Amino acid sequence: QVQLVESGGGLVQPGGSLRLSCAASGSIFSINAMGWYRQAPGKERELVATSTRLGGTNYADSVKARFTISRDNAENTITLQMNSLKPEDTAVYYCNAEIRVTPTAKSDYWGQGTQVTVSS
């Protein structure tokens, strides 16, 4: 079974920083896109940042210039460096990956989510 394990969430003051990590493990043939999504209470889940296998990135307008997504293909991990955090960044952050467990079987996988709270 493929697992996405996240770490790094927590409570931080406005203007502070957090670094989220996500590691994919299990029976993995290959991983294409990986990324981060978030969901605030009462809101729809939204894209934060994604990264293709070859390094292409996409960011939500609200986090550009503040968040940076990085990827280590050898370790099947991604990180999200979050700087200049704002209260509106408060949400549960989810890791997502498009994974092939065989050459022809592709599925989307989600992590369990990690809480990020930005508050004084």
Side-chain angles (χ1 to χ4, degrees):
Q1 183 67 245
V2 173
Q3 300 285 334
L4 300 180
V5 180
E6 300 159 321
S7 62
L11 174 65
V12 66
Q13 296 181 0
S17 298
L18 284 174
R19 184 178 178 88
L20 305 183
S21 297
C22 173
S25 62
S27 298
I28 298 173
F29 178 78
S30 66
I31 302 177
N32 294 322
M34 297 186 74
W36 294 93
Y37 292 72
R38 68 186 182 187
Q39 187 168 21
K43 303 294 184 180
E44 297 289 331
R45 187 174 298 187
E46 64 176 353
L47 182 148
V48 177
T50 59
S51 176
T52 69
R53 184 173 183 83
L54 297 180
T57 59
N58 184 37
Y59 295 91
D61 288 341
S62 60
V63 307
K64 287 180 179 177
R66 298 190 298 119
F67 292 9
T68 302
I69 187 169
S70 301
R71 182 168 177 170
D72 186 337
N73 290 331
E75 299 294 332
N76 291 332
T77 61
I78 55 168
T79 62
L80 185 69
Q81 179 65 46
M82 304 185 293
N83 298 324
S84 301
L85 283 162
K86 305 174 180 179
E88 52 262 44
D89 294 318
T90 296
V92 178
Y93 284 70
Y94 296 91
C95 180
N96 171 263
E98 298 174 352
I99 297 176
R100 292 186 182 273
V101 298
T102 72
T104 58
K106 181 177 68 177
S107 297
D108 285 337
Y109 292 86
W110 293 90
Q112 76 284 357
T114 184
Q115 177 70 47
V116 172
T117 302
V118 185
S119 175
S120 298

